[in-house]
Amino acid sequence: MTTRILLTGGTGQLGRNLALALQELGKMKVPARAEFDLASPTSMRRMLDEWRPGLIVNAAAYTAVDRAESEPELALAVNGAAPAAMAGWAARNDAAIVHYSTDYVFDGAAPRAYREDDKTGPISVYGASKLTGEAAVRDSGADHLIIRTSWLYAAQGQNFLHTILRLARERETLCIVDDQTGAPTSAQWLARISARIIAKPPFAGDRSGVLHAAAAGSVSWHGFACAIVERARARGWPVKVETISPIPTSGYPTPAARPRNSVLDLDRLGRVYGIVPTPWREQLDAALDRIAPSMEG
Ligand SMILES: NC(=O)c1ccc[n+]([C@@H]2O[C@H](COP(=O)([O-])OP(=O)(O)OC[C@H]3O[C@@H](n4cnc5c(N)ncnc54)[C@H](OP(=O)(O)O)[C@@H]3O)[C@@H](O)[C@H]2O)c1
């Protein structure tokens, strides 16, 4: 029997790519926010009862990290209560759930890459809300997988990659934070490896729980910005910037604190799922290839 898949967040960076990558795996429904609002338990219940998915893939989230500091109730409703409701429905209806989470569940103080079972300790409202969602999915009793990723960007959408490409066109000098380290991860890559994982259920036993999935390697935001600009210049794209200065986090104050170390240990991804993560530089080049027609057209 064909699996019925409900994919949330279809307009987001990851959701848009998942909508393509999961096409072959079942009959898919990708409801708009108006039909399936994570802040409205009634609208979620109605859609779940009508569509009766065998698999819920939750790529929707409240992702405005800084705004969450002043909207904690909404962040918690969307990132905590909604995954709880979806996973609860899955448990009662013999369905499974794949849920996405973040490196921001950690405090970033570790001197090495974070493993799946390392102690969490979010330092922002967003991180705390995502951790609440993780716990609810884990404790729901449903077959589940929680995929934690980091520093997500896509060829489409608002993200660091597009911001740097724009600023590099407009300004001669950029100041970019150099004391936060992570692995910039392409949403297209994450969607594709998610499809490989989702193609092999069940999400039970050793194939359940938390999984770290991100690009291989690590870099600071400053290093990532330099790589973007270097490649844009090499491709002949408009670049005005001459100096990219490294600055400390304290030089770019934001409402929400961010982990200094966002690097995720990727051992389990290879060991259990046989997936070798692509280095972040290769993922960046692939994303730039997709952007190229709009830059060069
Ligand atoms: N972005 C990152 O750097 C990053 C890093 C680590 C982990 N993650 C995690 O990765 C996942 C995907 O992130 P992303 O970057 O693809 O997110 P995104 O581009 O910000 O997209 C978020 C999606 O969630 C939807 N959404 C938000 N509130 C909703 C609501 N109340 N009801 C229904 N839909 C709602 C949005 O719909 P609208 O278009 O209607 O707003 C959009 O489709 C999330 O779980 C996120 O926490 C992201």
Side-chain angles (χ1 to χ4, degrees), residues 12-201:
Q13 304 192 94
L14 179 60
R16 207 187 290 249
N17 282 283
L18 280 170
L20 296 171
L22 302 182
Q23 257 171 2
E24 310 284 296
L25 299 184
K27 194 169 176 201
M28 211 163 21
K29 182 139 202 121
V30 192
R33 185 198 281 240
E35 289 178 279
F36 193 85
D37 184 351
L38 272 70
S40 159
T42 319
S43 98
M44 285 192 288
R45 203 175 316 115
R46 193 183 314 122
M47 171 66 71
L48 288 165
D49 286 342
E50 269 173 34
W51 176 249
R52 303 203 66 75
L55 174 66
I56 301 166
V57 180
N58 181 31
Y62 180 109
T63 55
V65 175
D66 287 319
R67 194 154 23 102
E69 297 295 313
S70 52
E71 287 185 342
E73 293 85 7
L74 183 56
L76 194 61
V78 174
N79 293 345
M86 285 184 262
W89 187 94
R92 289 190 302 278
N93 292 277
D94 209 17
I97 179 164
V98 173
H99 174 71
Y100 289 89
S101 192
T102 170
D103 53 286
Y104 281 29
V105 297
F106 296 114
D107 66 9
R112 55 160 175 78
Y114 281 97
R115 300 187 192 113
E116 282 85 351
D117 57 0
D118 274 334
K119 190 173 176 300
T120 51
I123 53 173
S124 64
V125 167
Y126 167 75
S129 70
K130 293 293 291 183
L131 185 60
T132 302
E134 284 191 5
V137 171
R138 189 190 60 225
D139 297 342
S140 65
D143 279 5
H144 69 275
L145 186 64
I146 297 164
I147 301 178
R148 280 192 199 132
T149 192
S150 73
W151 291 22
L152 208 58
Y153 65 90
Q156 284 174 304
Q158 291 276 351
N159 52 53
F160 186 82
L161 169 59
H162 282 284
T163 302
I164 294 299
L165 287 173
R166 177 176 54 78
L167 292 176
R169 276 197 303 273
E170 295 172 358
R171 298 192 191 168
E172 285 177 2
T173 303
L174 299 181
C175 294
I176 310 288
V177 169
D178 196 37
D179 56 3
Q180 292 171 28
T181 306
T185 301
S186 143
Q188 186 185 50
W189 174 84
L190 184 60
R192 285 181 175 170
I193 66 124
S194 295
R196 283 173 59 189
I197 292 168
I198 289 170
K200 291 186 188 153

